[in-house]
Amino acid sequence: MRNLFKGAIAFVAVIFATQLAQAQQKIGHVNLAEVIQATPEFKTAEGQLKTLSDGKTKELQDMYAMYQTKQKEANDKARNRSEANKETVDVELQKLGTELRDIETRINENQRVAQEELNKKEEELISPIHRKVSDALTAVSKEKGFAYVFDISSTNIPYFQGGDDLTPALKTKLGISATAAPATPAKK
């Protein structure tokens, strides 16, 4: 009976210690989007992506201008079509129709390729930044003894109060001024 009593007390002590240990786990939060956008690498990447995007946009605009010119030429020929020049104009309109379809196909293909290139370049430039910030967050979390850290910029956390904000500590770890304003998100 005495051993049973000691076993029960030991069991309760273990449960109590486990509950106490779990109750002491620290929970924090961080705004990763703000940190990532405040890095110098992000600002550089954002500039490179804008330059690439602007170049691709210019190419597509030039192609669209050529399409509009051919379209106007076809419309003018169709308006000036008469019985006397019907055969000649019809041949020219067919040729212009083929050219317009070809230009339209090239525009669509260039749009697709441009988007793929932009996505690839964005992945190439942004992935190392995410990795760097993630590694720094892991280090800061371990240094400060956090068991859980939530990203309030991307996780659906409808309410939180309290907990520790690791955003300033993470910025410090990355060498970013704690007052540095995040870059404005790139417009697509």
Side-chain angles (χ1 to χ4, degrees):
M1 183 72 158
R2 194 174 189 126
N3 285 340
L4 184 59
F5 184 71
K6 283 182 184 180
I9 289 178
F11 179 74
V12 169
V14 168
I15 296 292
F16 181 76
T18 303
Q19 293 296 326
L20 185 60
Q22 287 178 350
Q24 291 178 354
Q25 289 181 339
K26 291 172 71 174
I27 297 175
H29 57 88
V30 66
N31 187 334
L32 284 178
E34 178 182 324
V35 173
I36 288 169
Q37 290 175 3
T39 63
E41 296 92 338
F42 182 83
K43 293 172 183 169
T44 301
E46 189 175 40
Q48 289 178 10
L49 289 171
K50 182 172 179 0
T51 300
L52 180 61
S53 176
D54 290 349
K56 297 296 179 184
T57 300
K58 174 79 170 97
E59 286 176 25
L60 289 168
Q61 287 172 340
D62 291 347
M63 292 177 78
Y64 189 67
M66 182 173 37
Y67 179 86
Q68 288 177 318
T69 301
K70 291 283 185 188
Q71 182 69 48
K72 183 180 180 315
E73 183 181 340
N75 289 341
D76 290 345
K77 285 192 182 291
R79 258 194 309 273
N80 294 328
R81 184 174 175 257
S82 65
E83 280 301 315
N85 66 3
K86 178 181 176 185
E87 288 182 26
T88 306
V89 171
D90 284 348
V91 169
E92 291 174 359
L93 285 173
Q94 278 186 320
K95 181 181 174 191
L96 285 171
T98 301
E99 288 177 23
L100 284 169
R101 283 188 297 279
D102 289 346
I103 293 170
E104 188 175 342
T105 300
R106 286 198 326 257
I107 288 172
N108 290 333
E109 180 64 15
N110 282 359
Q111 283 177 324
R112 186 189 63 74
V113 169
Q115 189 60 51
E116 286 176 2
E117 286 179 23
L118 283 169
N119 290 344
K120 182 179 176 186
K121 188 66 169 179
E122 182 176 20
E123 176 68 23
E124 174 186 313
L125 295 172
I126 302 298
S127 287
I129 299 168
H130 280 275
R131 214 173 7 265
K132 176 183 173 182
V133 171
S134 178
D135 292 347
L137 177 60
T138 300
V140 167
S141 298
K142 285 181 179 179
E143 289 168 9
K144 297 192 176 281
F146 284 90
Y148 301 97
V149 178
F150 296 100
D151 178 8
I152 61 172
S153 67
S154 66
T155 305
N156 186 11
I157 301 175
Y159 176 80
F160 72 94
Q161 184 172 349
D164 293 310
D165 185 1
L166 296 177
T167 304
L170 183 55
K171 284 183 174 182
T172 300
K173 182 79 168 178
L174 291 166
I176 301 168
S177 168
T179 58
T184 56
K187 294 180 181 175
K188 294 183 179 183

